[in-house]
Each structure stands twice: as structure tokens, then as C-alpha cells.
Amino acid sequence: MATVVVASPVAVNLDDTRTLLHTFRANTGSLPQAKLGWLQPTSVDTPVDTIRYQLERDGYVFIKGLIPREDVLAMREHYFSQYAGTGLLKPDTPFVDGIYNLAEDAALHRGIGGGDPAGDDLDRLIAAHKTPLYQRFVSHPSLRKMVRDLMQWDEEVMLQRSMLRHNVPGGQATGVHYDKLFLRGGEGFFLTGWVPIGDIAPCGGGLFYLENSIELGQAIEDDFDRRALASGFSLDEKASAFNAHMTSIGILSDHPTAFEQDHSHIAQGVGMSGRQYKWLISEYEAGDVVFHLPCSVHSSCMNEDPQGRIRLSTDLRFYDKKDYDEGRADERWMKYWTPGDGL
């Protein structure tokens, strides 16, 4: 992305007196308040040059109210209506609220990334990606225009393997990773858009990001390239996130503190050694979208929503159509998600 002249950002009306959580639960263990900070929001009315600069500087940009709230809630209501009578939802509660039935075992209602879904839940997860409403939602004009304007592309291509996932209270969260781990099969640049489908409390299972992590993420990827070369990996082995140098589920760590410890030698090489790591959390509202770069280090927290809401979101990846037409995209992702597809 080219250097730009940056305009002043448009202020977002947030309560600056918000108190960070005393502790914050990751997939395993927890983070103390001293290691937490707030994800910085950006108004949708901010000049696009400024938004582009923030993305390049921070590795993410958290845009408030990009998609009309009513469109997001319509998607949420439709998704959970597919689970009527399954035991997932608390009886006699509206679909749009997505309130989890705490009488159920969370292990029986695993979403994508929360274990291996099975039975009717698996069928519903696969089918949900193909519904006309979901396809219209991920093609929303407000979302797609921002992708083009932000990246200065004439036309974008969205990978078909999007990740529409729910995370129930008490269910498994997503470990620490950066997205390039899973999309090594193409040389072209891709942009991730993470879309919360409904409101998410700071402890409700949303994404959180390691502050100023792009250089570290790239250094980890460069280190992997060196080790893959030394190991004589084939092209397929090198592209896979499930290889001899990764964990069995393709993530970097299940706990942010363990991630820091395991990668301290790489952090030292990029000047992060001894620096206080900050993991940035947020409260998300229906209509918000976070865009992040391929090496932005992030994770999701355990869902401990006080209202029992199920976190629903979708992960979208975009390429410049020119790169796609030239064969620079990860073609493995041009098919719908299925469990065990090796990605």
C-alpha cells in the first residue's frame, strides 16, 4: 500500500471511562488486566486515506457501523432460525437474540473452529454458507465498496471458503494465529474482513489482537520459510498450516502468554523482546467490521457473555481480481468450507 497524506480521523463516540476486564479468558488460561488494551475504533465517515493509513500502521482497522444494523440482525435471525427445535437456543427466546440453552452440553453444539461438528449441526453449518440470504449478506454493497476503496482495487474477488461460525458460551475459542498460516497457497495479497453478526460483549467470544504485531507475524512466517526449506518440504507441505512445524490444529498457541514465551527469540530479532505485550479487546456492535492484514496476530476469547448470547460472525478473505486472474490467489479456498478439508 502506498504512502498517503493522512487526514484527521472522525471521532467515534465511545465512553472513554470504560474499565478493562479484571481478567480475560483465552482458550486456555487468562490474561490479567495489565496486558489488555482497547481496540481503537474508526468511524465509517473517516476519509478512506486515513482508514488505509491506520490499516497499514496498526495491521487492523475497526470500522464502526459499516453495514446497516438491521441488515446484520436480519442475517442473525435467519441463521438461528435454522436451529429451531435443536436444543441450541433457550426456549421461548427470539431467534435474533441467539440466547444459548445452558441446559445443553456445549460440546454438542460446536461451531467451526470449536472442535469437530457432527450430526445435524454439521449439516446446518455446511448448508448455512450456501443460503441466498448469506450470499447477499457477504456481497453487501457497503462492505464490498469499502474493500475496493480501502485497497484501491477496481474489482475484488471474495474466496468462497468463508467461515460462518457460532461460538456458544462455554465452547472452545480460536487459538493465537495470523491468517497467512492458512493461505500460503497464493503469492497475492489478501485482506481479511471479520464481521460480527450481532452485538458481542468484551467477554463474549469476539476477536482480540496483539498490538503492533505485523512485524512479529511476518518474522514468524519468515522463520517458518527457513525451516521449511531446511526440512525439504514439498510445495504442498510448505503451504499447509498442519505440518511438522505447526500445531495439530494449525494455530501458533492456545494461550497468548505461551505464544509470547514460545516466540521470544523471534520477538528479540524484531525489537519486541522485553516489551510489554498488549492484547486489544473490544465490544462489538451489529454493523461493525474489522479488516486486518495477513500477518496480524489475533485470537478469540472464551464466550462468557453475561446474557448467554451466542457469538455469531463470519470471516471473509478478498483478493484483487487482477491477482486472482493471474493465478496469485490461494485456489484451495475457492470452495465452500467442509470439515476435514485440510485448510
Side-chain angles (χ1 to χ4, degrees):
M1 287 179 284
T3 303
V4 298
V5 176
V6 181
S8 299
V10 176
V12 176
N13 184 22
L14 286 181
D15 181 5
D16 290 333
T17 65
R18 293 178 299 168
T19 301
L20 286 164
L21 302 172
H22 182 64
T23 58
F24 181 80
R25 288 192 64 205
N27 216 19
T28 59
S30 60
L31 286 166
Q33 189 180 70
K35 283 186 172 289
L36 300 177
W38 289 112
L39 207 63
Q40 294 303 303
T42 297
S43 169
V44 69
D45 298 324
T46 300
V48 71
D49 284 351
T50 299
I51 297 176
R52 189 180 306 118
Y53 170 78
Q54 292 173 326
L55 175 65
E56 183 176 8
R57 180 193 64 193
D58 300 331
Y60 75 87
V61 62
F62 170 28
I63 303 180
K64 299 291 296 180
L66 177 61
I67 304 173
R69 180 177 177 85
E70 58 271 20
D71 294 347
V72 179
L73 293 181
M75 181 66 233
R76 182 176 176 88
E77 181 175 36
H78 171 74
Y79 180 88
F80 286 121
S81 72
Q82 307 306 301
Y83 285 84
T86 65
L88 175 69
L89 300 175
K90 183 178 179 180
D92 302 319
T93 58
F95 294 131
V96 70
D97 291 348
I99 305 298
Y100 179 54
N101 181 6
L102 293 175
E104 290 282 295
D105 181 354
L108 299 177
H109 297 287
R110 296 174 293 199
I112 302 172
D116 294 320
D120 290 344
D121 274 10
L122 173 57
D123 295 339
R124 287 182 176 85
L125 285 168
I126 293 173
H129 291 80
K130 303 176 183 180
T131 63
L133 182 60
Y134 178 66
Q135 291 301 314
R136 290 196 300 273
F137 181 72
V138 298
S139 300
H140 199 287
S142 298
L143 172 69
R144 293 302 189 91
K145 183 178 186 302
M146 178 57 72
V147 171
R148 291 191 297 273
D149 291 349
L150 185 58
M151 300 311 305
Q152 298 178 298
W153 293 339
D154 292 332
E155 187 176 352
E156 80 288 357
V157 172
M158 190 190 83
L159 295 180
Q160 195 173 53
R161 191 183 192 271
S162 61
M163 307 292 283
L164 177 59
R165 64 178 92 199
H166 67 254
N167 179 9
V168 303
Q172 184 176 335
T174 304
V176 180
H177 67 285
Y178 53 83
D179 289 354
K180 185 65 175 176
L181 288 172
F182 303 98
L183 287 105
R184 291 174 171 147
E187 298 177 354
F189 173 87
F190 66 88
L191 178 71
T192 295
W194 183 73
V195 186
I197 304 176
D199 300 337
I200 304 175
C203 60
L207 291 193
F208 63 100
Y209 289 79
L210 176 59
E211 185 179 35
N212 299 324
S213 64
I214 293 300
E215 191 175 9
L216 176 60
Q218 185 62 60
I220 294 171
E221 186 66 7
D222 292 343
D223 178 68
F224 167 77
D225 285 342
R226 289 189 292 269
R227 290 185 290 139
L229 180 63
S231 298
F233 277 12
S234 67
L235 290 178
D236 286 345
E237 288 173 322
K238 186 177 183 297
S240 175
F242 309 92
N243 56 63
H245 297 313
M246 300 288 140
T247 67
S248 62
I249 55 174
I251 60 171
L252 297 172
S253 176
D254 231 3
H255 193 313
T257 300
F259 165 79
E260 297 175 28
Q261 296 168 347
D262 293 344
H263 297 88
S264 59
H265 61 295
I266 299 178
Q268 184 174 7
V270 296
M272 288 183 67
S273 181
R275 197 186 79 188
Q276 174 67 53
Y277 278 60
K278 286 285 188 181
W279 294 88
L280 307 179
I281 69 174
S282 186
E283 177 179 14
Y284 299 101
E285 296 176 296
D288 297 346
V289 177
V290 184
F291 295 103
H292 64 250
L293 299 183
C295 286
S296 178
V297 178
H298 59 285
S299 184
S300 71
C301 70
M302 294 290 290
N303 185 350
E304 298 180 312
D305 185 82
Q307 300 178 40
R309 293 176 297 187
I310 302 171
R311 187 206 92 176
L312 180 63
S313 64
T314 190
D315 304 65
L316 312 174
R317 275 88 189 189
F318 300 95
Y319 281 94
D320 186 342
K321 189 174 186 299
K322 293 177 182 177
D323 279 341
Y324 181 79
D325 290 344
E326 292 173 3
R328 292 168 52 81
D330 193 332
E331 290 287 348
R332 301 174 304 164
W333 282 64
M334 287 307 291
K335 58 184 180 182
Y336 288 114
W337 169 84
T338 55
D341 61 10
L343 300 176

